[in-house]
Amino acid sequence: MGQTVCEAVEGADDMELAGKADPALGADLTAVLDGSDVVVDFTTPEAAPDNVRVCLEAGVHAVVGTTGFDVSGLREAVEGAGGDANCFVAPNFAIGAVLMMQLAQQVAPHMPECEIVELHHEGKLDAPSGTAKRTAELIREAGGTVHEPIHSVRLPGLVAHQEVLFGGEGQTLSIRHDSTDRHSFMPGVLLAVRRVAELPERLTVGLEHLL
């Protein structure tokens, strides 16, 4: 994902790639902060919160696509950081995936019983995925019931896929999104990079807030 983000930034007319580092592998994040306006984090659940703190304390906005960590804990770190830089977090940057989550939330009051099945490549570290957790949260906010457990599949050949299955008397409704290439996430990432500085809150979660 990090490499794909770098390619997308380099291909954008209004952006310049200031540098890249992998703190999870021991690289120095501070080396790329000088001269940067925004840092995009696709690392690990263990590294991401500290990366965000370092960025904000340096006055650099953070866009985070890493999942598997406690966002509520991140909120405390963001609010406690000095400066006025913002942090934007999204469990999924694919526009279609965000629309899937929004549609599922609209369905929930009318067909409240549902199951979530998410499928990802074998290297994905967290299960269930951040997208699945966020979808379940939105459905529950709308009064729906997500049956547990959320079903997680990890296999070679997959990228990122999710299906929400609603059941009612004599009928079912399926909403599915498939990312077959990592480039599907890049329009959302670039949108977040362009908008993070103008967000009204220091921490914003969910790409739906930018659509």
Side-chain angles (χ1 to χ4, degrees):
M1 281 296 294
Q3 184 60 43
T4 308
V5 170
C6 290
E7 294 172 0
V9 169
E10 290 176 325
D13 295 335
D14 58 341
M15 298 182 191
E16 180 180 350
L17 183 65
K20 50 188 175 181
D22 190 345
L25 297 179
D28 185 7
L29 176 61
T30 60
V32 302
L33 292 179
D34 187 28
S36 298
D37 297 312
V38 181
V39 165
V40 180
D41 184 285
F42 279 95
T43 55
T44 67
E46 295 76 23
D50 284 340
N51 293 344
V52 169
R53 178 184 53 78
V54 171
C55 290
L56 297 187
E57 291 180 352
V60 178
H61 303 290
V63 171
V64 182
T66 306
T67 59
F69 62 90
D70 182 9
V71 176
S72 62
L74 182 62
R75 182 177 299 278
E76 296 178 4
V78 170
E79 293 176 349
D84 57 0
N86 295 331
C87 177
F88 177 83
V89 180
N92 198 313
F93 282 92
I95 305 297
V98 176
L99 295 175
M100 170 196 62
M101 289 187 275
Q102 295 294 295
L103 290 170
Q105 188 177 39
Q106 292 181 41
V107 171
H110 309 284
M111 299 181 70
E113 301 289 330
C114 75
E115 298 245 3
I116 298 174
V117 182
E118 57 94 355
L119 310 91
H120 283 81
H121 57 91
E122 75 278 20
K124 184 166 178 59
L125 298 177
D126 55 323
S129 68
T131 301
K133 291 179 180 178
R134 178 63 174 163
T135 304
E137 179 182 338
L138 293 172
I139 289 172
R140 289 171 179 140
E141 287 177 359
T145 299
V146 178
H147 293 191
E148 297 288 354
I150 294 173
H151 307 286
S152 299
V153 177
R154 300 289 179 266
L155 286 173
L158 298 171
V159 178
H161 318 261
Q162 181 170 292
E163 187 169 14
V164 186
L165 303 168
F166 292 92
E169 186 174 355
Q171 62 179 326
T172 61
L173 173 64
S174 301
I175 304 174
R176 181 179 174 112
H177 177 263
D178 296 278
S179 282
T180 57
D181 190 289
R182 287 181 173 83
H183 288 90
S184 64
F185 306 112
M186 294 308 106
V189 171
L190 296 183
L191 175 63
V193 170
R194 294 184 176 107
R195 297 278 303 280
V196 62
E198 64 189 50
L199 293 173
E201 303 291 336
R202 293 205 68 188
L203 177 64
T204 301
V205 179
L207 194 66
E208 64 271 16
H209 297 292
L210 304 184
L211 299 182

